[in-house]
Amino acid sequence: MLTVKIPPKSKLDISRQIMAYQLACSFDAILENTTTGQRYSLRGKWSGLLQYDNPSTTLTQSAL
């Protein structure tokens, strides 16, 4: 939560930016049960948000 005090006869410009990485990939994997030694092959495709970072907010005050 952010508390902002705005002086009379002024204007605020607020800008918000987040960098996000969208990924689409194919994969092959082998899962192994370490108790029995049994192996399971896995193959597929995945698409989604890999990560996001660098959230930034800019607040600029100016007179009207």
Side-chain angles (χ1 to χ4, degrees):
M1 185 168 146
L2 177 66
T3 302
V4 178
K5 294 183 180 183
I6 304 169
K9 297 184 180 179
S10 63
K11 173 178 87 166
L12 290 181
D13 292 317
I14 300 173
S15 174
R16 178 82 171 151
Q17 181 177 358
I18 297 174
M19 185 178 295
Y21 300 93
Q22 185 73 25
L23 177 69
C25 66
S26 299
F27 62 88
D28 289 316
I30 297 175
L31 302 177
E32 182 179 352
N33 183 326
T34 56
T35 304
T36 65
Q38 190 171 5
R39 293 179 168 204
Y40 303 91
S41 293
L42 215 62
R43 179 176 286 176
K45 294 182 179 183
W46 183 80
S47 178
L49 186 64
L50 177 63
Q51 71 180 40
Y52 66 93
D53 59 4
N54 299 328
S56 64
T57 303
T58 306
L59 180 68
T60 307
Q61 177 192 340
S62 57
L64 285 178

Coordinates of all heavy atoms in Angstrom, one line a residue:
M1 N 0.8 -1.2 0.0 CA 0.0 0.0 0.0 C 0.9 1.2 0.0 O 1.9 1.3 0.7 CB -0.9 0.0 1.2 CG -1.9 1.1 1.2 SD -3.1 0.7 2.5 CE -3.4 2.3 3.1
L2 N 0.5 2.2 -0.8 CA 1.3 3.4 -0.9 C 0.3 4.6 -0.7 O -0.7 4.7 -1.3 CB 1.8 3.5 -2.3 CG 2.6 4.8 -2.7 CD1 3.9 4.9 -1.9 CD2 2.9 4.7 -4.2
T3 N 0.8 5.5 0.2 CA 0.0 6.7 0.5 C 0.6 7.9 -0.2 O 1.9 8.1 -0.1 CB 0.0 7.0 2.0 OG1 -0.6 5.9 2.7 CG2 -0.9 8.3 2.3
V4 N -0.1 8.6 -1.0 CA 0.4 9.7 -1.8 C -0.4 11.0 -1.4 O -1.6 11.0 -1.4 CB 0.2 9.4 -3.3 CG1 0.7 10.6 -4.1 CG2 0.9 8.2 -3.7
K5 N 0.3 12.0 -1.0 CA -0.3 13.3 -0.8 C -0.1 14.2 -2.0 O 1.0 14.4 -2.5 CB 0.4 14.0 0.5 CG 0.1 13.2 1.7 CD 0.7 13.9 2.9 CE 0.4 13.1 4.2 NZ 0.9 13.7 5.4
I6 N -1.3 14.7 -2.5 CA -1.3 15.4 -3.7 C -1.5 16.9 -3.4 O -2.6 17.2 -2.8 CB -2.3 14.9 -4.7 CG1 -2.1 13.5 -5.0 CG2 -2.3 15.8 -6.0 CD1 -3.3 12.8 -5.7
P7 N -0.6 17.8 -3.7 CA -0.8 19.2 -3.4 C -1.9 19.8 -4.2 O -2.2 19.2 -5.3 CB 0.6 19.8 -3.8 CG 1.6 18.7 -3.9 CD 0.8 17.5 -4.2
P8 N -2.6 20.8 -3.8 CA -3.6 21.4 -4.6 C -3.1 21.9 -5.9 O -2.0 22.3 -6.1 CB -4.1 22.6 -3.7 CG -3.5 22.4 -2.3 CD -2.3 21.5 -2.5
K9 N -4.0 21.9 -6.9 CA -3.7 22.4 -8.2 C -2.5 21.7 -8.8 O -1.6 22.3 -9.4 CB -3.5 23.9 -8.3 CG -4.8 24.6 -7.9 CD -4.6 26.1 -8.0 CE -5.9 26.8 -7.6 NZ -5.8 28.3 -7.6
S10 N -2.4 20.4 -8.7 CA -1.3 19.6 -9.3 C -1.9 18.4 -10.0 O -3.0 18.0 -9.8 CB -0.3 19.2 -8.2 OG -0.9 18.3 -7.3
K11 N -1.0 17.8 -10.8 CA -1.4 16.6 -11.6 C -0.4 15.5 -11.4 O 0.8 15.8 -11.2 CB -1.4 17.0 -13.1 CG -1.6 15.9 -14.0 CD -1.7 16.4 -15.5 CE -0.3 16.5 -16.0 NZ -0.2 16.6 -17.5
L12 N -0.9 14.3 -11.3 CA 0.0 13.1 -11.1 C -0.1 12.2 -12.4 O -1.2 11.9 -12.8 CB -0.3 12.3 -9.9 CG -0.1 12.9 -8.5 CD1 -0.5 11.9 -7.5 CD2 1.4 13.3 -8.4
D13 N 1.1 11.8 -12.9 CA 1.1 10.8 -13.9 C 1.8 9.6 -13.3 O 2.9 9.7 -12.8 CB 2.0 11.3 -15.1 CG 1.3 12.5 -15.8 OD1 0.1 12.4 -16.0 OD2 2.0 13.5 -16.1
I14 N 1.1 8.5 -13.4 CA 1.6 7.2 -12.9 C 1.8 6.2 -14.0 O 0.9 6.0 -14.8 CB 0.6 6.6 -11.8 CG1 0.4 7.6 -10.7 CG2 1.1 5.3 -11.3 CD1 -0.6 7.2 -9.7
S15 N 3.0 5.6 -14.1 CA 3.3 4.6 -15.1 C 3.8 3.4 -14.4 O 4.6 3.4 -13.5 CB 4.4 5.2 -16.0 OG 4.8 4.2 -16.9
R16 N 3.3 2.2 -14.9 CA 3.7 0.9 -14.3 C 4.2 0.0 -15.4 O 3.6 -0.1 -16.5 CB 2.5 0.3 -13.6 CG 2.7 -1.1 -13.0 CD 3.4 -1.0 -11.7 NE 3.4 -2.3 -11.1 CZ 4.3 -2.7 -10.2 NH1 5.2 -1.8 -9.8 NH2 4.2 -3.8 -9.7
Q17 N 5.3 -0.6 -15.2 CA 5.9 -1.5 -16.2 C 6.4 -2.8 -15.6 O 7.1 -2.8 -14.6 CB 7.1 -0.8 -16.9 CG 7.7 -1.5 -18.0 CD 8.8 -0.8 -18.7 OE1 9.1 0.4 -18.4 NE2 9.4 -1.4 -19.7
I18 N 6.2 -3.9 -16.3 CA 6.7 -5.2 -15.9 C 7.2 -5.9 -17.1 O 6.5 -6.0 -18.2 CB 5.6 -6.1 -15.2 CG1 5.1 -5.4 -13.9 CG2 6.1 -7.5 -14.9 CD1 3.9 -6.1 -13.3
M19 N 8.4 -6.5 -17.0 CA 8.9 -7.3 -18.1 C 8.6 -8.8 -18.0 O 8.8 -9.3 -16.9 CB 10.4 -7.1 -18.2 CG 11.1 -7.8 -19.4 SD 12.9 -7.5 -19.4 CE 12.9 -5.8 -19.6
A20 N 8.0 -9.4 -19.0 CA 7.6 -10.8 -18.9 C 8.2 -11.6 -20.1 O 8.4 -11.0 -21.2 CB 6.1 -10.9 -18.9
Y21 N 8.4 -12.9 -19.8 CA 9.0 -13.7 -20.9 C 8.0 -14.9 -21.2 O 7.7 -15.7 -20.3 CB 10.3 -14.3 -20.4 CG 11.3 -13.3 -20.1 CD1 11.5 -12.8 -18.8 CD2 12.2 -12.8 -21.1 CE1 12.4 -11.8 -18.5 CE2 13.1 -11.8 -20.8 CZ 13.2 -11.3 -19.5 OH 14.1 -10.3 -19.2
Q22 N 7.5 -14.9 -22.4 CA 6.6 -16.0 -22.8 C 7.4 -17.0 -23.5 O 8.3 -16.7 -24.3 CB 5.6 -15.4 -23.8 CG 4.5 -16.3 -24.2 CD 3.5 -16.6 -23.2 OE1 3.3 -15.8 -22.3 NE2 2.8 -17.7 -23.2
L23 N 7.1 -18.3 -23.2 CA 7.9 -19.4 -23.7 C 7.0 -20.5 -24.3 O 6.0 -20.8 -23.7 CB 8.8 -20.0 -22.6 CG 9.6 -21.2 -23.0 CD1 10.8 -20.8 -23.9 CD2 10.2 -21.9 -21.7
A24 N 7.4 -21.0 -25.5 CA 6.8 -22.2 -26.1 C 7.9 -23.2 -26.4 O 8.9 -22.8 -27.0 CB 6.0 -21.8 -27.3
C25 N 7.8 -24.4 -25.8 CA 8.9 -25.4 -26.1 C 8.3 -26.8 -26.2 O 7.2 -27.1 -25.7 CB 9.9 -25.3 -24.9 SG 9.3 -25.8 -23.3
S26 N 9.1 -27.7 -26.7 CA 8.9 -29.1 -26.7 C 9.9 -29.8 -25.8 O 11.0 -29.3 -25.7 CB 9.1 -29.6 -28.2 OG 8.2 -29.0 -29.0
F27 N 9.5 -30.9 -25.2 CA 10.4 -31.5 -24.3 C 10.3 -33.1 -24.4 O 9.2 -33.6 -24.8 CB 10.2 -31.1 -22.9 CG 8.8 -31.4 -22.3 CD1 8.6 -32.6 -21.7 CD2 7.8 -30.5 -22.4 CE1 7.3 -32.9 -21.2 CE2 6.5 -30.8 -21.9 CZ 6.3 -32.0 -21.3
D28 N 11.4 -33.7 -24.1 CA 11.5 -35.2 -23.9 C 12.1 -35.4 -22.6 O 13.1 -34.8 -22.2 CB 12.4 -35.8 -25.0 CG 11.7 -35.8 -26.4 OD1 10.5 -36.1 -26.5 OD2 12.4 -35.5 -27.4
A29 N 11.6 -36.3 -21.8 CA 12.1 -36.6 -20.4 C 11.9 -38.1 -20.1 O 11.1 -38.7 -20.7 CB 11.4 -35.7 -19.4
I30 N 12.7 -38.5 -19.2 CA 12.6 -39.9 -18.7 C 12.6 -39.8 -17.1 O 13.5 -39.2 -16.5 CB 13.8 -40.8 -19.1 CG1 13.8 -40.9 -20.6 CG2 13.7 -42.1 -18.4 CD1 15.0 -41.7 -21.1
L31 N 11.5 -40.3 -16.6 CA 11.3 -40.4 -15.1 C 11.7 -41.8 -14.7 O 11.3 -42.7 -15.3 CB 9.9 -40.0 -14.7 CG 9.3 -38.7 -15.1 CD1 7.9 -38.6 -14.7 CD2 10.1 -37.6 -14.6
E32 N 12.5 -41.9 -13.6 CA 12.9 -43.2 -13.1 C 12.5 -43.4 -11.7 O 12.8 -42.5 -10.8 CB 14.4 -43.3 -13.3 CG 14.9 -44.7 -12.8 CD 16.4 -44.9 -13.0 OE1 17.0 -44.0 -13.6 OE2 16.9 -45.9 -12.5
N33 N 11.9 -44.5 -11.4 CA 11.6 -44.9 -10.0 C 12.8 -45.5 -9.4 O 13.3 -46.5 -9.8 CB 10.4 -45.9 -10.0 CG 10.0 -46.3 -8.6 OD1 10.8 -46.4 -7.7 ND2 8.7 -46.7 -8.5
T34 N 13.4 -44.7 -8.5 CA 14.7 -45.2 -7.9 C 14.6 -46.4 -7.1 O 15.6 -47.1 -6.8 CB 15.4 -44.0 -7.1 OG1 14.4 -43.6 -6.1 CG2 15.7 -42.9 -7.9
T35 N 13.4 -46.8 -6.6 CA 13.2 -48.0 -5.9 C 13.2 -49.2 -6.8 O 13.9 -50.2 -6.5 CB 11.9 -48.0 -5.0 OG1 12.0 -46.8 -4.2 CG2 11.8 -49.2 -4.2
T36 N 12.4 -49.2 -7.9 CA 12.2 -50.3 -8.7 C 13.1 -50.3 -10.0 O 13.3 -51.3 -10.7 CB 10.8 -50.4 -9.2 OG1 10.4 -49.3 -10.0 CG2 9.8 -50.5 -8.0
G37 N 13.6 -49.1 -10.3 CA 14.4 -48.9 -11.5 C 13.5 -48.8 -12.8 O 14.1 -48.6 -13.9
Q38 N 12.2 -48.8 -12.6 CA 11.3 -48.7 -13.8 C 11.4 -47.2 -14.3 O 11.5 -46.3 -13.6 CB 9.9 -49.0 -13.4 CG 9.0 -49.1 -14.6 CD 7.6 -49.6 -14.2 OE1 7.3 -49.8 -13.0 NE2 6.8 -49.9 -15.1
R39 N 11.4 -47.1 -15.7 CA 11.5 -45.8 -16.3 C 10.2 -45.5 -17.1 O 9.6 -46.4 -17.7 CB 12.7 -45.8 -17.3 CG 14.0 -45.9 -16.6 CD 15.1 -45.9 -17.6 NE 16.4 -45.7 -16.9 CZ 17.5 -45.2 -17.5 NH1 17.4 -44.9 -18.8 NH2 18.6 -45.0 -16.8
Y40 N 9.9 -44.2 -17.1 CA 8.7 -43.7 -17.8 C 9.2 -42.6 -18.8 O 9.8 -41.6 -18.4 CB 7.7 -43.2 -16.8 CG 7.3 -44.2 -15.8 CD1 7.9 -44.3 -14.6 CD2 6.2 -45.0 -16.1 CE1 7.5 -45.2 -13.6 CE2 5.8 -46.0 -15.1 CZ 6.5 -46.0 -13.9 OH 6.1 -47.0 -13.0
S41 N 8.8 -42.8 -20.0 CA 9.1 -41.7 -21.0 C 8.0 -40.7 -21.0 O 6.8 -41.0 -20.9 CB 9.2 -42.3 -22.4 OG 10.3 -43.2 -22.5
L42 N 8.4 -39.4 -21.2 CA 7.5 -38.3 -21.2 C 7.9 -37.4 -22.4 O 9.1 -37.1 -22.6 CB 7.7 -37.5 -19.9 CG 6.5 -36.8 -19.2 CD1 5.5 -37.9 -18.8 CD2 7.0 -36.1 -18.0
R43 N 6.9 -37.0 -23.2 CA 7.1 -36.2 -24.3 C 5.9 -35.2 -24.4 O 4.8 -35.6 -24.1 CB 7.2 -37.0 -25.6 CG 7.4 -36.2 -26.8 CD 7.5 -37.0 -28.0 NE 8.9 -37.6 -27.9 CZ 9.4 -38.5 -28.8 NH1 8.6 -39.0 -29.8 NH2 10.6 -38.9 -28.7
G44 N 6.2 -33.9 -24.7 CA 5.1 -33.0 -24.8 C 5.5 -31.6 -25.2 O 6.7 -31.4 -25.6
K45 N 4.6 -30.7 -25.1 CA 4.8 -29.3 -25.5 C 4.3 -28.5 -24.3 O 3.3 -28.9 -23.7 CB 4.1 -28.9 -26.8 CG 4.6 -29.6 -28.0 CD 3.9 -29.2 -29.2 CE 4.5 -29.9 -30.4 NZ 3.9 -29.5 -31.7
W46 N 4.9 -27.4 -24.1 CA 4.5 -26.5 -23.0 C 4.6 -25.0 -23.5 O 5.5 -24.7 -24.2 CB 5.4 -26.6 -21.8 CG 4.9 -25.8 -20.6 CD1 3.9 -26.0 -19.8 CD2 5.5 -24.5 -20.3 NE1 3.8 -25.0 -18.9 CE2 4.8 -24.1 -19.1 CE3 6.5 -23.7 -20.7 CZ2 5.0 -22.9 -18.5 CZ3 6.8 -22.5 -20.1 CH2 6.0 -22.1 -19.0
S47 N 3.6 -24.3 -23.2 CA 3.5 -22.8 -23.5 C 3.0 -22.1 -22.3 O 2.0 -22.5 -21.7 CB 2.6 -22.6 -24.7 OG 2.5 -21.2 -25.0
G48 N 3.7 -21.0 -21.9 CA 3.3 -20.3 -20.8 C 4.3 -19.2 -20.4 O 5.3 -18.9 -21.1
L49 N 4.0 -18.6 -19.3 CA 4.8 -17.5 -18.7 C 6.0 -18.1 -18.0 O 5.8 -18.8 -17.0 CB 4.0 -16.6 -17.8 CG 4.7 -15.4 -17.3 CD1 5.0 -14.4 -18.4 CD2 3.8 -14.7 -16.3
L50 N 7.2 -17.9 -18.5 CA 8.4 -18.4 -17.9 C 8.8 -17.6 -16.6 O 9.0 -18.2 -15.6 CB 9.6 -18.4 -18.9 CG 10.9 -18.9 -18.4 CD1 10.9 -20.3 -18.0 CD2 12.0 -18.6 -19.4
Q51 N 8.8 -16.3 -16.7 CA 9.2 -15.5 -15.6 C 8.8 -14.1 -15.8 O 8.5 -13.7 -17.0 CB 10.7 -15.6 -15.2 CG 11.5 -14.9 -16.3 CD 13.0 -14.9 -15.9 OE1 13.5 -16.0 -15.5 NE2 13.7 -13.9 -16.1
Y52 N 8.7 -13.3 -14.8 CA 8.5 -11.9 -15.0 C 9.4 -11.2 -13.9 O 9.6 -11.7 -12.8 CB 7.1 -11.4 -14.9 CG 6.4 -11.7 -13.6 CD1 6.4 -10.6 -12.6 CD2 5.8 -12.9 -13.3 CE1 5.7 -10.8 -11.4 CE2 5.2 -13.1 -12.1 CZ 5.2 -12.0 -11.1 OH 4.5 -12.3 -9.9
D53 N 9.9 -10.0 -14.2 CA 10.7 -9.3 -13.2 C 10.7 -7.8 -13.6 O 10.1 -7.3 -14.5 CB 12.1 -9.9 -13.2 CG 12.8 -9.8 -14.5 OD1 12.3 -9.3 -15.5 OD2 13.9 -10.4 -14.6
N54 N 11.5 -7.1 -12.9 CA 11.7 -5.7 -13.0 C 10.5 -4.9 -12.9 O 10.2 -3.9 -13.7 CB 12.4 -5.4 -14.4 CG 13.8 -6.0 -14.5 OD1 14.5 -6.1 -13.5 ND2 14.2 -6.4 -15.7
P55 N 9.6 -5.2 -12.0 CA 8.4 -4.3 -11.8 C 8.9 -2.9 -11.4 O 9.7 -2.8 -10.5 CB 7.6 -5.0 -10.7 CG 8.5 -5.8 -10.0 CD 9.6 -6.2 -10.9
S56 N 8.3 -1.9 -12.0 CA 8.7 -0.5 -11.7 C 7.5 0.4 -11.8 O 6.7 0.2 -12.7 CB 9.9 0.0 -12.5 OG 9.4 0.1 -13.9
T57 N 7.4 1.3 -10.9 CA 6.4 2.3 -10.9 C 7.0 3.7 -10.9 O 7.9 4.0 -10.1 CB 5.4 2.2 -9.7 OG1 4.9 0.9 -9.7 CG2 4.3 3.2 -9.8
T58 N 6.6 4.6 -11.8 CA 7.1 6.0 -11.9 C 5.9 6.9 -11.5 O 4.8 6.8 -12.1 CB 7.6 6.3 -13.3 OG1 8.6 5.3 -13.6 CG2 8.2 7.6 -13.3
L59 N 6.2 7.8 -10.7 CA 5.2 8.8 -10.2 C 5.8 10.2 -10.5 O 6.8 10.5 -10.0 CB 4.9 8.6 -8.7 CG 3.9 9.6 -8.1 CD1 2.5 9.3 -8.7 CD2 3.9 9.4 -6.6
T60 N 5.1 11.0 -11.3 CA 5.6 12.3 -11.7 C 4.5 13.4 -11.3 O 3.3 13.2 -11.7 CB 5.9 12.4 -13.2 OG1 6.8 11.4 -13.5 CG2 6.5 13.8 -13.5
Q61 N 4.9 14.4 -10.6 CA 4.0 15.4 -10.2 C 4.3 16.7 -11.0 O 5.5 17.0 -11.2 CB 4.1 15.7 -8.7 CG 3.2 16.9 -8.2 CD 3.6 17.4 -6.8 OE1 4.2 16.6 -6.1 NE2 3.2 18.6 -6.5
S62 N 3.3 17.4 -11.4 CA 3.5 18.6 -12.1 C 2.3 19.6 -11.8 O 1.2 19.1 -11.4 CB 3.6 18.4 -13.6 OG 2.4 17.8 -14.1
A63 N 2.6 20.9 -12.0 CA 1.5 21.9 -11.7 C 0.5 21.9 -12.8 O 0.8 21.6 -14.0 CB 2.1 23.2 -11.6
L64 N -0.8 22.2 -12.5 CA -1.8 22.3 -13.5 C -1.6 23.6 -14.3 O -1.1 24.5 -13.9 CB -3.2 22.2 -12.9 CG -3.6 20.9 -12.4 CD1 -5.0 21.0 -11.8 CD2 -3.7 19.9 -13.6

